[in-house]
Amino acid sequence: MLFRREFKRNLRGLIIWSIIIAGIIFLYLGIFPSMAKQQQDMDNLMNAVPEGMQKAFGMDRLSLGTLLGFYGIEIHLMTTLLGSIYAALLASGIVAKEQNEKTAEFLLALPVSRPTIIVHKWLAAMANVLLFNAVIVAASFAGFQLAHGEDLSYKAFFLLELAVLMMHLTFAGIAFLFSAVARRTRSIVSMSLGTVFIMYFLSVAAGLSDRLSWLKYVTPFKYADSAQIITERSFHPLYAGIMAIAIAGCFLASYWYYNKKDIAV
């Protein structure tokens, strides 16, 4: 019952964000054929970009003239950044909004335990993120047909999308933890979105300067680096492990704190 309740409460947001991301994917892949015909001009344009910027956005290893390279440079940025924002917004209010909307008394009066409440809310948040990423994959496949590009490596594509999914789940987990700990929804949203943007800028900084390359171990955006995954056709096990631990750790911490939390109703 609680899972269905939470899923329905967030269904509208899922639909809106899914339409937005699918529209962006179709729009970008729709213009790929015309850009591919001007590959030499595109390569010259990319070469004119400062070397640091090329490294930061994977332009030094990917080409706009190839379908997967174009996807990794142009579309990947949108799916990672917008998807992380969606995941953070979704999870940031899923627990704390009960107090903010004065519905905690009703929820806690139901014949269900606190562990059941927090688990069902977690499952609802994860289900929304999974469906959102399924839309990304489906829209990308449909867009590839419109783009009429060369044969692409589906292995590299699926590894890239797996990394993106885990990154979205990581930000959802962090925001969920904020939601379980904090009391005011507005501050939770600010912290969650702030975390996403800070991590994004850290990933850019890690690519711009060799002296800051160590930051790639701090930000999930670098764990889902399109240039590395597409060119090497591999998703680094260390990055996958770090994100898996972060996701599990956020859930366990949320579970523990929510059961100890003094909830004013």
Side-chain angles (χ1 to χ4, degrees), residues 190-213:
S190 300
M191 290 189 296
S192 301
L193 292 181
T195 300
V196 171
F197 290 120
I198 289 172
M199 292 299 173
Y200 172 71
F201 287 120
L202 288 179
S203 73
V204 174
L208 286 174
S209 173
D210 291 337
R211 291 181 300 176
L212 298 176
S213 61

Side-chain angles (χ1 to χ4, degrees), residues 158-230:
F158 278 115
L159 286 174
L160 181 64
E161 295 312 312
L162 174 61
V164 172
L165 169 62
M166 292 194 68
M167 188 187 73
H168 291 166
L169 291 175
T170 299
F171 282 116
I174 294 171
F176 190 86
L177 178 58
F178 289 159
S179 184
V181 172
R183 294 181 178 275
R184 297 184 60 185
T185 305
R186 185 174 301 177
S187 62
I188 300 168
V189 171
S190 300
M191 290 189 296
S192 301
L193 292 181
T195 300
V196 171
F197 290 120
I198 289 172
M199 292 299 173
Y200 172 71
F201 287 120
L202 288 179
S203 73
V204 174
L208 286 174
S209 173
D210 291 337
R211 291 181 300 176
L212 298 176
S213 61
W214 58 271
L215 288 174
K216 68 182 180 181
Y217 297 109
V218 177
T219 168
F221 281 98
K222 272 300 178 183
Y223 301 165
D225 181 58
S226 60
Q228 180 266 316
I229 295 174
I230 291 173

Side-chain angles (χ1 to χ4, degrees), residues 1 13 21 27 59 63 71 80-81 87 100 103 117 135 179 185 233-234 239 262:
M1 181 181 71
I21 200 67
L27 176 63
M59 298 177 186
S63 171
Y71 188 95
T80 51
L81 184 57
N100 192 62
T103 57
I117 293 173
V135 170
S179 184
T185 305
R233 298 187 180 183
S234 66
Y239 298 156
D262 179 21

Side-chain angles (χ1 to χ4, degrees), residues 2 4 18 29 42 47 50 65 70 78 96 99 102 123 150 154 178 182 188 194 197-198 222 229 251 255 261-262:
L2 285 177
R4 291 198 302 270
S18 296
L29 289 177
M42 291 297 101
N47 290 332
F70 178 83
M78 297 298 174
Q99 286 185 249
K102 308 301 183 183
L123 292 175
E150 79 291 342
Y154 286 104
F178 289 159
I188 300 168
F197 290 120
I198 289 172
K222 272 300 178 183
I229 295 174
F251 168 69
Y255 182 92
K261 187 177 182 180
D262 179 21

